[in-house]
Amino acid sequence: MPRHRSWAEPFRIKVVEPIHLLSRAERTEAMARAGYNTFLLRSDDVFIDLLTDSGTSAMSDYQWAGMMLGDEAYAGSRNFYHLEDAVRTHYGYRHMVPTHQGRGAEHILSQILIKPGDHVPGNMYFTTTRLHQELAGGTFHDVIIDEAHDPTSTHPFKGNVDLGKLERLVDEVGAEHVPYVSVAATVNMAGGQPISMANMRAVREYCRGKGIRVILDATRAVENAYFIKVREPGWSDRSVAEILKEFCSLSDGCTMSGKKDALVNIGGWLALNDDDLFDEARNLVVVYEGLHTYGGMAGRDMEAMARGIEESVQEDHIRARIGQVEYLGRHLIDEGVPIVLPIGGHAIFLDAKRFYPQIPQDEFPAQTLAAELYVDSGVRAMERGIVSAGRNSTTGDHNYPKLELVRLTLPRRVYTQAHMDVTWESVAELYEKRDQVRGLRMVYEPKYLRFFQARFERL
Ligand code: PM9
């Protein structure tokens, strides 16, 4: 048997940004000041920031060099054409407009395609995606496979669409009221779980027969392509870049938050193959984002994103990126901590229902756990449970998602293995002391996307 060899990051560190750990008393006070919502903490008060992988990546020297080549012309910036080339080369769509970030693309897409009374099936909701669908008058329907809602299921492709559920919905509401199927790559709210190429192809075939479009949320499609390579039979010899392109070819367009896979701090795009739809998108982008050749982005930011796309599909990059998530997850599994299985692409998701079974869901177990973790070690995580799920737009009741999770999200190329060690050690200690903890009560609730700004008090 050959000896085990560890992987190592395919970069070395050229610039460092100091971070500091406040005292426990200071952290306790900071958490109370933030209303037990990690979104309301000051970044300066955070030691290891695992709130999100969105816009938090470290850019390479190649990307920073590109920033100096920003062409800040109002119209026709050369960086736009670089970005357009990168999207065509790696994602394969014919047309694209830049947007300031992913939700800008979701807004334009929803306005173009959804009419009041329409129905939008998707492989689990995402907060901003669903809200834009609802604001356009649509109703979201979850058609993901049941395994996705079970944190203990080890199905390798928990992002898959359940074709039976999709078919039943379409039969019920009529294909003419389904403007598109919204398919997310590595489903965020399910735990960063991928969709298989075979399932994507089946969705495509079904939709083609019904005249329904397939729109991909490509935000973490590179990570999805990596999982297809390592988990789906028949793909291990293909490059992540090839798989990505083939995967995207099974959709009619995509929305994209460049702040994740594409390794930039800001930016996104909407891509479409259809000429007429693209024309509509180009018309709307000037209303909400900016001219169609910058769409809310500076020239330098478009250059950084074009270069980030190139880097994102490099095999050693993506292997190390997902390898770091796995490293953290393996340690937590070894400590007996309940996490969502299998380990996903961008984050480890702690299962707060099993972590704190004594806390009822409407006393916010995941929100509580995220607050406890910060107080224990200065690690900032994000609630992905009942607070994120919001309220039913018809009844006004809380949505009660099956998954009540805390997300430890890994920014790309930012933290070291030692940071991962501090994180799992803290979570493991909290798990040992889990019995004493009580939940929270919400004392302020904003109307939209409440998880960002809601405030809580300890019970
Ligand atoms: N995701 C995340 O932390 C940013 C803040 S939480 C709303 O996971 C998907 C799958 C996302 C996503 C953002 C967006 C929106 C769309 N789809 O944040 O607007 O994970 O660039 O993208 C966050 P923007």
Side-chain angles (χ1 to χ4, degrees), residues 52 54 101-103 106 126-128 188 217 219-220 257 259-260 382 384 407 451-452:
T52 177
S54 181
Q101 58 183 77
R103 68 199 75 177
E106 291 170 346
F126 184 71
T127 52
T128 57
N188 195 349
D217 180 340
T219 296
R220 296 184 184 84
S257 169
K259 300 169 73 174
K260 285 80 165 176
M382 187 193 288
R384 297 277 76 167
R407 191 181 71 175
F451 58 94
F452 282 131

Side-chain angles (χ1 to χ4, degrees), residues 290-308:
L291 193 74
H292 60 283
T293 56
Y294 76 85
M297 296 185 71
R300 55 180 170 270
D301 291 328
M302 290 192 282
E303 187 62 33
M305 191 152 78
R307 293 176 181 220

Side-chain angles (χ1 to χ4, degrees), residues 13 37 52 126 271 285 416 425 444:
I13 297 166
N37 184 346
T52 177
F126 184 71
V285 85
T416 66
E425 286 163 11
Y444 168 68

Side-chain angles (χ1 to χ4, degrees), residues 280-335:
E280 287 186 50
R282 215 171 27 181
N283 276 321
L284 265 197
V285 85
V286 299
V287 180
Y288 293 113
E289 300 282 319
L291 193 74
H292 60 283
T293 56
Y294 76 85
M297 296 185 71
R300 55 180 170 270
D301 291 328
M302 290 192 282
E303 187 62 33
M305 191 152 78
R307 293 176 181 220
I309 291 169
E310 277 175 47
E311 293 183 348
S312 72
V313 295
Q314 290 167 4
E315 304 279 321
D316 53 356
H317 158 72
I318 191 70
R319 188 173 65 128
R321 189 286 183 277
I322 291 182
Q324 190 176 42
V325 178
E326 251 167 35
Y327 176 85
L328 176 60
R330 289 269 143 241
H331 278 285
L332 289 166
I333 290 170
D334 290 348
E335 293 294 321

Side-chain angles (χ1 to χ4, degrees), residues 8-28:
E9 290 83 354
F11 55 82
R12 53 191 176 191
I13 297 166
K14 183 148 45 183
V15 177
V16 295
E17 180 184 359
I19 50 176
H20 303 285
L21 179 62
L22 299 182
S23 70
R24 191 177 185 92
E26 287 168 328
R27 297 195 299 271
T28 304

Side-chain angles (χ1 to χ4, degrees), residues 263-274:
L263 296 162
V264 286
N265 305 120
I266 194 71
W269 73 76
L270 170 63
L272 292 163
N273 286 332
D274 184 274

Side-chain angles (χ1 to χ4, degrees), residues 372-373 376-379 421-431:
E372 292 292 328
L373 179 62
D376 187 67
S377 55
V379 172
D421 291 339
V422 168
T423 303
W424 70 255
E425 286 163 11
S426 171
V427 174
E429 194 168 333
L430 289 177
Y431 191 56

